């Protein structure tokens, strides 16, 4: 049940990011839910591998490279979900930034 709540909250935040960032389009709630689920899978499977190999550049940039990896995860998730479009790396970077801000706010408010 907690996983379902987490996916629904993530879908709502992803839908909000689609409204905030010009280059990200999320057609409907179904696309937001599947996008959030695919983003979760990408973050669980692909992101640790990328972060392992990118560790030196992450250290050089004092962790800012992780935002680039997050943008890549958003672009990867968008490739697999119909109705979830990302128009470029710049839009994905802004999307990663706003998703981070919104996730931080929700976790501070609700302790999730």
């Amino acid at each position: 049940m907690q996983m379902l709540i987490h996916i629904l909250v993530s879908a709502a935040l992803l839908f909000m990011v689609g409204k905030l960032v010009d280059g990200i389009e999320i057609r409907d709630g179904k696309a937001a839910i599947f996008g959030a689920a695919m983003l979760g899978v990408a973050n669980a499977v692909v992101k640790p591998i990328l972060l392992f190999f990118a560790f030196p550049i992450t250290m050089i940039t004092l962790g800012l490279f992780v935002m680039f990896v997050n943008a890549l995860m958003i672009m990867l998730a968008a490739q697999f979900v119909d109705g979830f479009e990302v128009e470029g790396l710049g839009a994905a970077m802004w999307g990663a930034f706003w998703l981070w801000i919104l996730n931080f706010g929700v976790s501070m408010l609700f302790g999730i």
Side-chain angles (χ1 to χ4, degrees):
M1 187 60 153
Q2 188 174 6
M3 178 69 93
L4 179 63
I5 292 170
H6 186 74
I7 289 175
L8 291 176
V9 169
S10 295
L13 296 180
L14 191 62
F15 196 77
M16 289 172 62
V17 166
K19 298 295 183 191
L20 289 170
V21 179
D22 282 335
I24 297 178
E25 180 183 337
I26 300 173
R27 187 176 355 157
D28 54 12
K30 178 182 166 187
I33 291 171
F34 283 113
M38 184 55 69
L39 190 57
V41 169
N43 283 335
V45 176
V46 179
K47 186 176 178 181
I49 296 168
L50 285 177
L51 289 177
F52 175 77
F53 287 112
F55 182 72
I57 196 166
T58 303
M59 289 287 100
I60 291 169
T61 62
L62 302 175
L64 290 176
F65 190 74
V66 174
M67 189 65 72
F68 177 74
V69 173
N70 289 339
L72 290 178
M73 295 302 100
I74 290 173
M75 292 177 76
L76 180 66
Q79 291 295 315
F80 291 101
V81 177
D82 188 36
F84 179 21
E85 307 288 330
V86 177
E87 292 184 7
L89 184 60
M93 291 288 285
W94 280 109
F97 172 75
W98 281 109
L99 197 58
W100 172 70
I101 292 291
L102 292 172
N103 271 320
F104 180 75
V106 167
S107 67
M108 292 305 289
L109 284 174
F110 300 108
I112 297 175

